[in-house]
Structure formats: C-alpha cells, structure tokens
Coordinates of all heavy atoms in Angstrom, one line a residue:
I1 N 6.4 -8.3 18.1 CA 6.9 -6.9 18.4 C 5.9 -6.1 19.1 O 4.6 -6.2 18.8 CB 7.2 -6.2 17.0 CG1 8.2 -6.9 16.2 CG2 7.7 -4.8 17.3 CD1 8.4 -6.5 14.8
T2 N 6.2 -5.5 20.2 CA 5.3 -4.5 20.9 C 5.9 -3.1 20.7 O 7.0 -2.8 20.9 CB 5.3 -4.8 22.3 OG1 4.8 -6.2 22.5 CG2 4.5 -3.8 23.2
F3 N 5.0 -2.1 20.2 CA 5.3 -0.7 20.2 C 4.6 0.0 21.3 O 3.4 -0.2 21.5 CB 4.7 -0.2 18.8 CG 5.5 -0.7 17.6 CD1 5.1 -1.8 16.9 CD2 6.6 0.1 17.0 CE1 5.9 -2.3 15.8 CE2 7.2 -0.3 15.9 CZ 6.9 -1.6 15.3
I4 N 5.4 0.8 22.0 CA 4.9 1.5 23.1 C 5.3 3.0 23.0 O 6.4 3.3 22.9 CB 5.3 1.1 24.5 CG1 4.9 -0.4 24.7 CG2 4.7 2.0 25.7 CD1 5.6 -0.9 26.0
Y5 N 4.2 3.9 22.7 CA 4.5 5.3 22.6 C 3.2 6.1 22.8 O 2.0 5.6 22.7 CB 5.0 5.6 21.2 CG 4.2 5.1 20.0 CD1 3.1 5.9 19.5 CD2 4.3 3.8 19.4 CE1 2.4 5.6 18.5 CE2 3.5 3.4 18.5 CZ 2.5 4.4 17.9 OH 1.8 3.9 16.8
P6 N 3.4 7.4 23.2 CA 2.2 8.3 23.3 C 1.6 8.8 22.0 O 2.4 8.8 21.0 CB 2.7 9.3 24.2 CG 4.2 9.4 23.7 CD 4.6 8.1 23.5
I7 N 0.5 9.2 22.0 CA -0.1 9.9 20.8 C 0.1 11.4 21.0 O -0.4 12.0 22.1 CB -1.6 9.6 20.5 CG1 -1.9 8.1 20.3 CG2 -2.1 10.5 19.5 CD1 -1.3 7.6 19.1
W8 N 0.9 12.0 20.3 CA 1.1 13.5 20.4 C 0.8 14.1 19.1 O 1.0 13.7 18.0 CB 2.6 13.8 20.5 CG 3.1 13.4 21.9 CD1 2.3 13.2 23.1 CD2 4.4 13.1 22.3 NE1 3.2 12.9 24.1 CE2 4.4 12.8 23.6 CE3 5.8 13.1 21.6 CZ2 5.6 12.6 24.4 CZ3 6.9 12.9 22.3 CH2 6.8 12.6 23.7
W9 N -0.1 15.2 19.3 CA -0.7 15.9 18.0 C -1.3 14.9 17.0 O -1.0 14.8 15.8 CB 0.4 16.7 17.4 CG 0.8 17.9 18.1 CD1 1.9 18.0 18.8 CD2 0.1 19.1 18.2 NE1 1.9 19.3 19.4 CE2 0.8 20.0 19.1 CE3 -1.1 19.5 17.6 CZ2 0.3 21.3 19.4 CZ3 -1.6 20.8 18.0 CH2 -0.9 21.7 18.9
T10 N -2.1 14.1 17.6 CA -2.8 12.9 16.9 C -2.0 12.0 16.0 O -2.5 11.6 15.0 CB -4.0 13.5 16.2 OG1 -3.4 14.3 14.9 CG2 -4.9 14.4 16.9
G11 N -0.8 11.8 16.5 CA 0.0 10.9 15.7 C 1.2 10.3 16.4 O 1.3 10.6 17.6
L12 N 2.2 9.7 15.8 CA 3.4 9.1 16.5 C 4.3 10.2 16.9 O 4.3 11.3 16.2 CB 4.1 8.3 15.5 CG 3.5 6.9 15.1 CD1 2.2 7.0 14.2 CD2 4.5 6.0 14.4
P13 N 5.0 10.1 18.0 CA 6.1 11.1 18.3 C 7.1 11.1 17.2 O 7.3 10.2 16.5 CB 6.6 10.4 19.6 CG 5.7 9.6 20.2 CD 4.9 9.1 19.0
A14 N 7.7 12.2 17.0 CA 8.6 12.4 15.9 C 9.7 11.4 15.8 O 10.1 10.8 14.8 CB 9.3 13.7 16.0
L15 N 10.2 10.9 17.0 CA 11.2 9.9 17.1 C 10.8 8.6 16.5 O 11.4 7.9 15.8 CB 11.8 9.7 18.5 CG 13.0 8.8 18.7 CD1 14.1 9.2 17.8 CD2 13.5 8.9 20.0
M16 N 9.5 8.2 16.9 CA 9.0 6.8 16.4 C 8.7 7.1 15.0 O 8.9 6.1 14.3 CB 7.7 6.5 17.2 CG 7.1 5.2 16.8 SD 8.1 3.8 17.2 CE 7.8 3.5 18.9
K17 N 8.2 8.2 14.5 CA 7.9 8.3 13.0 C 9.1 8.2 12.3 O 9.2 7.6 11.2 CB 7.1 9.7 12.9 CG 6.7 9.9 11.3 CD 5.9 8.9 10.7 CE 5.3 9.3 9.4 NZ 6.3 9.4 8.4
G18 N 10.2 8.9 12.8 CA 11.5 8.8 12.0 C 12.0 7.4 12.0 O 12.7 7.0 11.1
Y19 N 11.8 6.6 13.1 CA 12.2 5.2 13.2 C 11.5 4.5 12.0 O 12.2 3.6 11.3 CB 11.8 4.6 14.5 CG 12.3 3.2 14.7 CD1 13.5 2.9 15.3 CD2 11.5 2.1 14.4 CE1 13.9 1.6 15.6 CE2 11.9 0.8 14.6 CZ 13.1 0.5 15.1 OH 13.4 -0.9 15.4
I20 N 10.2 4.7 11.9 CA 9.5 4.0 10.8 C 10.0 4.3 9.5 O 10.1 3.5 8.7 CB 7.9 4.3 10.9 CG1 7.4 3.8 12.3 CG2 7.2 3.7 9.7 CD1 7.4 2.3 12.4
D21 N 10.2 5.7 9.3 CA 10.6 6.2 8.0 C 12.0 5.6 7.6 O 12.2 5.2 6.4 CB 10.8 7.8 8.0 CG 9.6 8.6 8.1 OD1 8.6 8.0 7.8 OD2 9.8 9.8 8.5
R22 N 12.8 5.4 8.5 CA 14.2 4.9 8.3 C 14.4 3.4 8.3 O 15.0 2.8 7.3 CB 15.2 5.5 9.2 CG 15.4 7.0 9.1 CD 16.7 7.6 9.8 NE 17.8 7.1 9.2 CZ 18.9 6.8 9.9 NH1 19.0 6.8 11.2 NH2 20.0 6.4 9.3
V23 N 13.7 2.7 9.2 CA 13.8 1.3 9.4 C 13.0 0.4 8.6 O 13.3 -0.6 8.1 CB 13.8 1.0 11.0 CG1 13.9 -0.5 11.1 CG2 14.8 1.7 11.7
F24 N 11.7 0.9 8.4 CA 10.7 0.2 7.6 C 10.9 0.6 6.2 O 10.1 1.0 5.5 CB 9.2 0.5 8.0 CG 8.9 -0.3 9.3 CD1 9.7 -0.3 10.4 CD2 7.6 -0.9 9.3 CE1 9.3 -1.0 11.6 CE2 7.2 -1.6 10.4 CZ 8.1 -1.7 11.6
S25 N 12.1 0.3 5.6 CA 12.6 0.7 4.3 C 12.0 -0.2 3.2 O 11.7 -1.4 3.4 CB 14.0 0.8 4.3 OG 14.6 -0.4 4.5
Y26 N 12.0 0.4 2.0 CA 11.7 -0.4 0.8 C 12.7 -1.6 0.7 O 13.9 -1.3 0.8 CB 11.8 0.6 -0.4 CG 11.3 -0.2 -1.7 CD1 10.0 -0.3 -2.1 CD2 12.3 -0.8 -2.5 CE1 9.7 -1.0 -3.3 CE2 11.9 -1.5 -3.6 CZ 10.7 -1.5 -4.0 OH 10.3 -2.3 -5.1
G27 N 12.2 -2.7 0.4 CA 13.0 -3.9 0.3 C 13.1 -4.7 1.6 O 13.6 -5.8 1.6
F28 N 12.8 -3.9 2.8 CA 12.9 -4.6 4.0 C 11.5 -4.8 4.6 O 11.0 -6.0 4.9 CB 13.7 -3.9 5.0 CG 13.6 -4.4 6.4 CD1 14.3 -5.7 6.7 CD2 12.9 -3.8 7.5 CE1 14.2 -6.2 8.0 CE2 12.8 -4.4 8.8 CZ 13.4 -5.6 8.9
A29 N 10.6 -3.8 4.7 CA 9.3 -3.9 5.2 C 8.3 -4.1 4.2 O 7.2 -4.7 4.4 CB 9.0 -2.6 6.0
Y30 N 8.6 -3.6 2.9 CA 7.6 -3.7 1.8 C 8.3 -3.7 0.5 O 9.5 -3.2 0.4 CB 6.6 -2.5 1.9 CG 7.2 -1.2 1.6 CD1 6.9 -0.7 0.4 CD2 7.8 -0.5 2.5 CE1 7.4 0.6 0.0 CE2 8.4 0.7 2.3 CZ 8.2 1.2 0.9 OH 8.8 2.5 0.7
C31 N 7.7 -4.0 -0.6 CA 8.2 -3.8 -1.9 C 7.0 -3.9 -2.9 O 5.9 -4.0 -2.4 CB 9.2 -5.0 -2.2 SG 8.4 -6.6 -2.5
Y32 N 7.3 -3.7 -4.1 CA 6.3 -3.7 -5.1 C 6.7 -4.8 -6.2 O 7.8 -4.8 -6.6 CB 6.2 -2.4 -5.9 CG 5.5 -1.3 -5.0 CD1 6.1 -0.4 -4.2 CD2 4.1 -1.2 -4.9 CE1 5.6 0.5 -3.4 CE2 3.5 -0.3 -4.1 CZ 4.3 0.6 -3.3 OH 3.6 1.6 -2.5
E33 N 5.6 -5.7 -6.4 CA 6.0 -6.7 -7.5 C 4.9 -6.5 -8.6 O 3.8 -6.6 -8.4 CB 5.9 -8.0 -6.9 CG 7.0 -8.3 -5.9 CD 6.9 -9.8 -5.3 OE1 5.9 -10.4 -5.6 OE2 7.9 -10.2 -4.6
Q34 N 5.4 -6.1 -9.8 CA 4.5 -5.9 -10.8 C 3.5 -4.8 -10.5 O 2.3 -4.9 -10.9 CB 3.9 -7.1 -11.4 CG 4.9 -8.2 -12.0 CD 4.3 -9.5 -12.5 OE1 3.1 -9.8 -12.0 NE2 5.1 -10.0 -13.3
G35 N 4.0 -3.8 -9.9 CA 3.1 -2.7 -9.5 C 2.2 -2.9 -8.2 O 1.4 -2.1 -7.9
I36 N 2.2 -4.1 -7.7 CA 1.4 -4.5 -6.6 C 2.3 -4.5 -5.3 O 3.4 -5.2 -5.1 CB 0.8 -5.8 -6.7 CG1 0.0 -5.9 -7.9 CG2 -0.1 -6.2 -5.5 CD1 -0.7 -7.2 -8.3
Q37 N 1.8 -3.7 -4.3 CA 2.4 -3.6 -3.0 C 2.4 -5.0 -2.3 O 1.4 -5.6 -2.2 CB 1.8 -2.5 -2.1 CG 2.6 -2.2 -0.8 CD 2.1 -3.1 0.3 OE1 0.9 -3.6 0.3 NE2 2.9 -3.3 1.3
K38 N 3.6 -5.2 -1.6 CA 3.7 -6.4 -0.8 C 4.4 -6.2 0.5 O 5.5 -5.7 0.5 CB 4.5 -7.5 -1.7 CG 4.7 -8.8 -0.9 CD 5.4 -9.8 -1.8 CE 5.7 -11.1 -1.1 NZ 6.5 -12.0 -1.9
G39 N 3.7 -6.6 1.6 CA 4.3 -6.5 2.9 C 5.3 -7.5 3.1 O 5.0 -8.7 2.9
L40 N 6.6 -7.3 3.7 CA 7.6 -8.3 3.8 C 7.9 -8.7 5.2 O 8.7 -9.6 5.4 CB 8.9 -7.7 3.2 CG 8.8 -7.3 1.8 CD1 10.3 -6.7 1.3 CD2 8.6 -8.5 0.8

C-alpha cells in the first residue's frame, strides 16, 4: 500500500484522517486480545 498526501497543519488532510477513522476500524485494522492491542 502506498499513501500519498500533503502535510497540512502538521498532520493528515481531513479527508485522509477521516478515511483512517472509518476504514481502519476495530476488528479490521486492530483488536484487543486479553487487553493487549494487536495489529491485524
């Protein structure tokens, strides 16, 4: 995967941040097993 985006206000553009918020969801991008975070 290649991510291409500008740095605006020292962070991700709102559209990219919203993509991460919605698409990198719990149970797809990460989960917790017995209280320990796991990347999926």
